[in-house]
């Protein structure tokens, strides 16, 4: 067994293994594994008969690690000449009998992504381009058939995002592995497709052309393709493909299958041992599942729950017996469990975490807690992402400090079907803000939140929504923005290739209207102070954007503070940074409550 695991003290991702001696880290302590394809990576590890293949973070190159010693052996490599183009890799998939398949990005001297291609990489480092895209093409999810004679993959063209519209492709392979007669297999109507996989000669894929990411068997026909629905369950069976190499469904020997489906944010794992067998739910103590794998009569997955750390699990498919192989620690003696939240008369939902009764008073003492307690509204990123009922230690921290927390899946979130996800088109900064305001108003009416002690916080796109909420209503006493978007026009000019057209979709192609939904232009309307956290290495929301927002607030006479981290990018990975965010945010919230 091999898996990737984050070391919180250093922020490094290392390769771990499970053998007769138990679980242990395999890669060297200073060796970091991570792909940066499309800026968000994915697919930095795959396993072949030669051992684990990984993407080395500092170079973006593919290397093999010795399965016992962890000693790295370079496979791909760029010239060291700083004036030449370079490349980076991700989406690694084993190519039986040949090596691995990968997505390769070619970068200019200045770091600009020039194009992407599907490549085959042999053990000796020989690299063959199988499918070269034009400048606007993005590729993902190479899926070779079990016998190596076919290859399926997903492709989309910018400015579309993969969860808006993408296409399944299929090609035969000759004896050398080269592709012959590649063709697009189009569903009955435009759709987002993802995660092609094979079970014997059966090609399956998730497609949302009927409103949900549901599994289909796809067959190439003389003039097109035939799409057969494998599950009539009206639920998403995957989430937005921000990263490569996701695996939420899996064909099993004998025609059976294992699948994840999402219901109001909760992931459920289901199994059918044969095509016509009755499905049954597995591991119902867990609430999200990723990276499904099958080996010798057992199902493996990375599983999350609302009361323990992420676990590597093994499920015997005969007895359904579950074993936690690694992880799964219970870091807290008392955990606040999420309560389902549904916005009245709407599909909007989320998870409410009530404050602990013995939580600290705003002044720092242990007097009786405020009744009703203060509330922190947490807005997820993306905005095409989602909140899940999984253990979040930061959320637990807030509850222990006497705050209730609401994780909201506003319109535009994934996991609730295509229409709900697409609803945000052209209306970012409006619809999800309205959902946030309606949600906190409902909690106040229900007596679960104090009307004078409401706060909002978010990261990246969630930070943008937090700022827009502060500029749209006077109910919040303050906001915390972690590397939040403040100037969409400037972001559009500097953002990376993957999201180059995303803002036009979110805000609309009429850029004359963007200023009215740009926090930097609405600083005069902010109804309270803002605490900003920013990584100096952030290439998505650059530090100058956050500083410009703070300066605009100062000119408007509003208080703000910027806390910077020199060694962080778009997402804080070091535990010292994460702890500092909690400490400074707690002081900020307490000061705001003490002032009322």
């Amino acid at each position: 067994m091999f898996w990737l695991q984050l070391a919180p003290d250093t922020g490094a991702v290392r390769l771990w293994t499970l053998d007769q001696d138990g679980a242990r880290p395999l890669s060297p302590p200073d060796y970091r594994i991570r792909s940066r394809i499309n800026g968000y990576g994915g697919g930095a590890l795959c396993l072949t008969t030669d051992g684990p293949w990984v993407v080395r973070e500092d170079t973006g190159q593919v290397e093999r690690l010795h399965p016992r010693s962890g000693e790295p052996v370079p496979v791909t490599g760029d010239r060291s000449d700083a004036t030449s183009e370079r490349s980076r890799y991700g989406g690694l998939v084993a190519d039986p009998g040949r090596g691995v398949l990968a997505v390769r990005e070619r970068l200019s001297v200045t770091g600009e992504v020039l194009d992407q291609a599907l490549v085959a990489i042999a053990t000796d480092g020989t690299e063959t381009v199988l499918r070269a895209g034009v400048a606007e093409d993005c590729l993902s999810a190479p899926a070779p058939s079990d016998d190596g004679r076919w290859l399926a993959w997903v492709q989309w063209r910018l400015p579309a995002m993969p969860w808006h519209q993408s296409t399944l492709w299929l090609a035969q392979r000759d004896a050398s592995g080269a592709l012959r007669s590649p063709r697009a297999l189009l569903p009955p109507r435009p759709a987002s497709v993802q995660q092609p996989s094979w079970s014997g000669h059966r090609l399956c894929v998730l497609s949302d052309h009927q409103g949900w990411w549901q599994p289909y068997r796809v067959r190439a026909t003389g003039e097109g393709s035939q799409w057969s629905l494998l599950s009539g369950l009206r639920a998403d069976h995957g989430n937005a493909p921000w990263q490569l190499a996701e695996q939420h469904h899996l064909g099993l020997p004998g025609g059976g299958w294992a699948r994840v489906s999402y219901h109001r944010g909760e992931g459920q794992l289901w199994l059918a041992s044969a095509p016509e067998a009755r499905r049954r739910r597995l591991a119902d103590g867990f609430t999200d599942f990723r990276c499904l794998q099958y080996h010798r009569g057992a199902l493996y997955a990375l599983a999350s729950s609302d009361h323990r750390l992420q676990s590597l699990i093994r499920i015997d498919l005969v007895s359904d017996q579950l074993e936690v192989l690694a992880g799964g620690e219970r870091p807290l003696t008392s955990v606040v469990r999420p309560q389902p939240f549904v916005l009245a008369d709407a599909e909007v939902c989320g998870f409410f975490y009530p404050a602990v009764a013995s939580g600290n008073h705003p002044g720092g003492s242990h007097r009786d807690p405020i009744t009703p307690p203060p509330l922190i509204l947490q807005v997820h990123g993306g905005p095409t992402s989602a909140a899940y009922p999984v253990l979040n230690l930061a959320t637990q921290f807030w509850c222990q400090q006497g705050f209730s927390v609401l994780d909201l899946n506003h319109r535009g979130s994934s996991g609730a079907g295509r229409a709900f996800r697409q609803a945000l088109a052209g209306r970012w900064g409006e619809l999800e803000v309205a959902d946030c305001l309606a949600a906190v108003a409902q909690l106040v009416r229900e007596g679960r939140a104090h009307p004078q002690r409401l706060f909002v916080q978010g990261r990246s796109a969630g930070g943008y929504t937090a700022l827009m909420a502060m500029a749209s209503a006077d109910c919040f006493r303050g906001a915390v923005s972690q590397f939040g978007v403040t100037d969409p026009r400037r972001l559009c000019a500097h953002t990376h290739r993957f999201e180059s057209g995303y803002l036009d979709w979110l805000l609309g192609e009429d850029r004359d209207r963007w200023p009215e939904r740009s926090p930097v232009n609405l600083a005069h309307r902010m109804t309270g102070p803002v605490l900003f956290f920013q990584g100096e290495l952030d290439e998505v929301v650059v530090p100058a954007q956050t500083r410009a927002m703070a300066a605009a607030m100062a000119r408007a006479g509003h208080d703000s503070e910027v806390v910077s981290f020199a060694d962080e990018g778009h997402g804080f990975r070091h535990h010292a940074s994460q702890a500092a965010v909690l400490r400074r945010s707690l002081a900020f919230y307490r000061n705001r409550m003490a002032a009322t």
Side-chain angles (χ1 to χ4, degrees), residues 3-156:
W3 67 94
L4 299 180
Q5 186 166 314
L6 177 72
D9 54 340
T10 65
V13 174
R14 298 181 65 187
L15 181 68
W16 280 63
T17 186
L18 181 69
D19 55 26
Q20 63 272 15
D21 299 321
R24 61 183 176 89
L26 183 64
S27 57
D30 58 347
Y31 189 95
R32 296 170 177 247
I33 299 170
R34 187 186 183 191
S35 167
R36 295 186 180 275
I37 287 281
N38 293 331
Y40 298 99
L45 166 69
C46 76
L47 187 66
T48 75
T49 54
D50 297 313
W53 297 53
V54 301
V55 177
R56 184 165 181 162
E57 181 177 10
D58 57 351
T59 66
Q61 301 303 300
V62 177
E63 299 189 353
R64 285 188 294 116
L65 300 186
H66 191 280
R68 295 295 180 187
S69 68
E71 186 69 23
V73 177
V75 178
T76 63
D78 287 332
R79 290 182 295 167
S80 59
D81 181 2
T83 64
S84 59
E85 297 174 354
R86 56 190 178 88
S87 57
R88 62 187 180 190
Y89 299 82
L92 302 186
V93 174
D95 191 13
R98 295 188 175 103
V100 301
L101 302 173
V103 179
R104 184 194 69 190
E105 280 187 338
R106 196 166 55 94
L107 293 89
S108 69
V109 176
T110 59
E112 178 186 2
V113 177
L114 301 175
D115 55 38
Q116 289 188 346
L118 285 182
V119 297
I121 305 172
T123 304
D124 62 3
T126 302
E127 185 174 309
T128 304
V129 175
L130 301 180
R131 176 76 173 182
V134 300
E136 295 81 16
D137 283 341
C138 293
L139 302 102
S140 73
S145 61
D146 297 342
D147 59 11
R149 297 174 57 190
W150 296 86
L151 180 67
W153 70 93
V154 172
Q155 196 164 322
W156 68 96

Side-chain angles (χ1 to χ4, degrees), residues 369-450:
I370 298 172
T371 304
L375 174 78
I376 298 173
L377 171 64
Q378 291 188 153
V379 188
H380 64 68
T384 313
S385 186
Y388 304 97
V390 300
L391 179 64
N392 182 315
L393 293 179
T395 298
Q396 297 297 317
F397 171 83
W398 293 122
C399 293
Q400 297 291 342
Q401 295 296 328
F403 294 82
S404 293
V405 176
L406 176 63
D407 269 343
L408 189 68
N409 281 323
H410 53 69
R411 281 174 287 182
S413 304
S414 60
R418 181 178 178 88
F420 191 83
R421 192 172 70 247
Q422 300 284 96
L424 211 53
R427 302 194 66 184
W428 191 37
E430 296 177 357
L431 285 188
E432 90 285 7
V433 170
D435 291 342
C436 290
L437 298 179
V440 296
Q442 179 171 311
L443 289 175
V444 168
R445 289 195 304 271
E446 295 171 352
R448 293 196 281 173
H450 196 293

Side-chain angles (χ1 to χ4, degrees), residues 237-462:
H237 290 70
N239 46 39
W242 283 92
Q243 294 185 311
L244 305 186
E246 293 279 12
Q247 190 72 56
H248 291 91
H249 71 119
L250 197 65
L252 302 176
W257 51 261
R259 299 183 187 125
V260 180
S261 59
Y262 287 93
H263 306 266
R264 292 195 179 277
E266 178 185 350
Q268 300 177 359
L269 180 60
W270 294 86
L271 174 83
S273 56
E276 303 303 323
R278 183 177 181 180
R279 69 176 188 140
R280 64 185 190 271
R281 187 176 177 183
L282 303 176
D284 58 3
F286 293 88
T287 51
D288 198 14
F289 304 86
R290 308 290 173 95
C291 305
L292 301 187
Q293 300 288 335
Y294 172 83
H295 183 64
R296 294 183 178 178
L299 184 67
Y300 297 80
L302 296 178
S304 301
S305 80
D306 61 10
H307 62 283
R308 61 200 301 181
L309 298 181
Q310 192 175 53
S311 308
L312 172 61
I313 64 171
R314 177 188 185 274
I315 304 174
D316 185 289
L317 297 186
V318 175
S319 65
D320 289 356
Q321 181 177 355
L322 185 149
E323 179 183 5
V324 175
L325 302 178
E329 298 87 352
R330 299 174 184 262
L332 301 173
T333 56
S334 177
V335 174
V336 177
R337 309 292 282 268
Q339 301 175 2
F341 172 85
V342 179
L343 188 60
D345 303 321
E347 297 180 65
V348 175
C349 63
F351 304 97
F352 178 76
Y353 297 80
V356 173
S358 59
N360 289 340
H361 188 272
S365 67
H366 287 274
R367 288 174 281 172
D368 292 337
I370 298 172
T371 304
L375 174 78
I376 298 173
L377 171 64
Q378 291 188 153
V379 188
H380 64 68
T384 313
S385 186
Y388 304 97
V390 300
L391 179 64
N392 182 315
L393 293 179
T395 298
Q396 297 297 317
F397 171 83
W398 293 122
C399 293
Q400 297 291 342
Q401 295 296 328
F403 294 82
S404 293
V405 176
L406 176 63
D407 269 343
L408 189 68
N409 281 323
H410 53 69
R411 281 174 287 182
S413 304
S414 60
R418 181 178 178 88
F420 191 83
R421 192 172 70 247
Q422 300 284 96
L424 211 53
R427 302 194 66 184
W428 191 37
E430 296 177 357
L431 285 188
E432 90 285 7
V433 170
D435 291 342
C436 290
L437 298 179
V440 296
Q442 179 171 311
L443 289 175
V444 168
R445 289 195 304 271
E446 295 171 352
R448 293 196 281 173
H450 196 293
Q452 300 302 318
R453 291 175 171 84
L454 303 174
F455 301 95
V456 59
Q457 64 183 30
R459 301 160 41 127
S460 190

